[in-house]
Amino acid sequence: MTRKRWLASAAVAAGLLVVAIVAVIAFQSLAGPIAQQAGLASPSTAPCSPAPCVDVEGYTMWITNVRVEGHLVRMQVKFKNSSNSTHSSPDDLSLMDASHSTYKLDTTDPGCGTWTRHEFSGGATFGPLDICFLVNNTTPPFTLRWTPDLGFICCETRLEISPA
């Protein structure tokens, strides 16, 4: 094999290796936050009230009026953003039932809302919003998973909630 062919083959192999590494990192970021996977420090959380709520680096989410109607878990969410995040998105929320199955927002039932990506910051609030999750297991408690966009290496926060 000539030197030119060897260098071309090495360049192609290096390029494929870079593509494979980027693909693995992208897949892992979809599965969960990089900081937690790598064993790095979790984002700072602060106490908030009234509960149930969670505050991640100045971005607060409150949950109210949690109730189960058949296989539908309904609740209201409200956000206040004093963080470096710029938006709220329905894709940031999912619900885990007692069987550890995960569900995205359901908008098929009347009164089950969603929203388009909402840009806000500087201490502004957004909501309350009526949201629903269609679940298989209606046994409480439920875990609301929130993945606010606070930068490249950030967060998934879990908040245990139960019907009132």
Side-chain angles (χ1 to χ4, degrees):
M1 187 185 274
T2 67
R3 179 176 169 89
K4 197 177 222 183
R5 277 192 170 167
W6 184 87
L7 287 174
S9 295
V12 167
L16 290 173
L17 180 62
V18 167
V19 167
I21 289 170
V22 168
V24 167
I25 290 171
F27 178 76
Q28 286 179 337
S29 70
L30 291 174
I34 294 171
Q36 290 176 357
Q37 291 173 1
L40 300 174
S42 297
S44 63
T45 58
C48 57
S49 67
C53 61
V54 63
D55 182 312
V56 180
E57 298 180 11
Y59 192 178
T60 308
M61 176 180 64
W62 290 272
I63 307 300
T64 57
N65 203 19
V66 179
R67 59 204 184 278
V68 177
E69 298 173 359
H71 282 272
L72 206 60
V73 178
R74 294 180 180 269
M75 66 189 76
Q76 286 187 324
V77 295
K78 181 178 178 182
F79 303 94
K80 181 176 182 182
N81 189 3
S82 299
S83 72
N84 63 355
S85 180
T86 60
H87 67 276
S88 173
S89 171
D91 295 332
D92 296 344
L93 295 175
S94 61
L95 188 75
M96 189 171 19
D97 65 17
S99 303
H100 299 287
S101 296
T102 303
Y103 306 92
K104 290 290 187 183
L105 289 177
D106 181 80
T107 59
T108 59
D109 198 82
C112 296
T114 187
W115 67 97
T116 57
R117 177 179 160 132
H118 179 77
E119 302 288 330
F120 72 120
S121 60
T125 59
F126 178 57
L129 305 161
D130 294 310
I131 62 171
C132 305
F133 298 90
L134 188 60
V135 299
N136 291 329
N137 185 342
T138 58
T139 305
F142 302 100
T143 303
L144 189 62
R145 294 170 54 189
W146 184 36
T147 55
D149 185 8
L150 293 172
F152 180 68
I153 299 180
C154 199
C155 0
E156 174 183 295
T157 301
R158 295 177 180 214
L159 180 63
E160 189 173 291
I161 56 174
S162 293

